[in-house]
Amino acid sequence: PIWRPCFLVNGNYRRYVNLNIGLMMDDLSRKIAEAQHFILNQLGQLPPLAIVLGSGLGGFADRLENPNFISTADIPHYPRSTVAGHAGYWVMGTLHGKKVVAVKGRVHFYEGYSLEKVTFPVRLLGRLGIRYLVITNAAGSLNPLIRPGDLMLIDDHINLFLTNPLIGIGGKSESDRFVDMSAPYSEKLACIAEKAALDLRIELKKGVLIGSSGPTYETAAEVNMMRKLGGDAGTMSTIPEVIVANRLNLEVLGVSCITNMTTGLSGKKLDHREVTEVAALAADRFQKLMEETIVRILSVSV
């Protein structure tokens, strides 16, 4: 559908807007159905768990045994990543006999995509029957006690994207639109991750994630504001995906790899190369923690 200026009065304007929103959602459902059909033909039935890999963290997919790759460029209607560190593949393989899907190559709001496109992969995973979503990212620390190279369990978030991926999306009931976000990250999955980290002797910090659109890094004043709001780390991704995952009733585990101190907490200028370089240095601990956590989730949940 094409949006056009409209000067209808009274109830006619509302009917016009609702009609266009309905057509847009019908179009989104059609696109997801076509992508779903393609994935099922390529991979068959998906396992109950998927992991979205953030900047510089895609190497986790290399740990999967008997991998089956799909380029996201081949998936109908799937947005393509334009950012270094996001390869653009879905990989289905096994970890200690447990099947897992890894998404390498998310897209971001700052690339010019709508939030509908940004969250398309999560909507698709939900349609394909995923129940558990492990979502990861590279993030900058807002907290002096959380340092580059640390791994941080996300226990809540603050949305500073100034928009929401559910705008315009209705449903069969009011609860479909007004999604409860009192616990966006699963306490059960968080406990599994914390126990895995303890057994592996991997330090796992915990904190609140703040998401904003980017692509510029935050100013010192913005960092000061975010700290006063209660944020421990900042990212340019993740939160729209988590909102949609909650809309789809998926259980979410969020883990950030801290790659830098934000502006004002470090004397260095920020550079995306540092993000990927520090993520690479933390890759071994990150991958071991994710592997053990995922195997435990699937062992107790399947």
Side-chain angles (χ1 to χ4, degrees), residues 48-112:
L49 185 146
I51 179 170
V52 177
L53 298 167
S55 295
L57 303 174
F60 172 81
D62 298 333
R63 300 178 81 94
L64 300 182
E65 300 170 349
N66 304 312
N68 193 345
F69 294 83
I70 294 180
S71 171
T72 56
D74 295 331
I75 302 174
H77 313 295
Y78 200 101
R80 300 187 188 183
S81 177
T82 64
V83 183
H86 292 272
Y89 287 95
W90 279 29
V91 187
M92 186 166 80
T94 59
L95 286 172
H96 303 283
K98 306 289 186 182
K99 282 191 175 182
V100 176
V101 171
V103 177
K104 297 179 64 175
R106 62 154 50 97
V107 296
H108 304 78
F109 194 39
Y110 63 72
E111 293 176 74

Side-chain angles (χ1 to χ4, degrees), residues 13 40 73 98 119 151 164 178 207 237 247 252 268 275:
Y13 178 77
L40 289 174
K98 306 289 186 182
T119 58
L151 302 179
N164 190 297
F178 302 109
S237 67
R247 164 67 173 78
V252 179
K268 297 191 300 183
V275 170

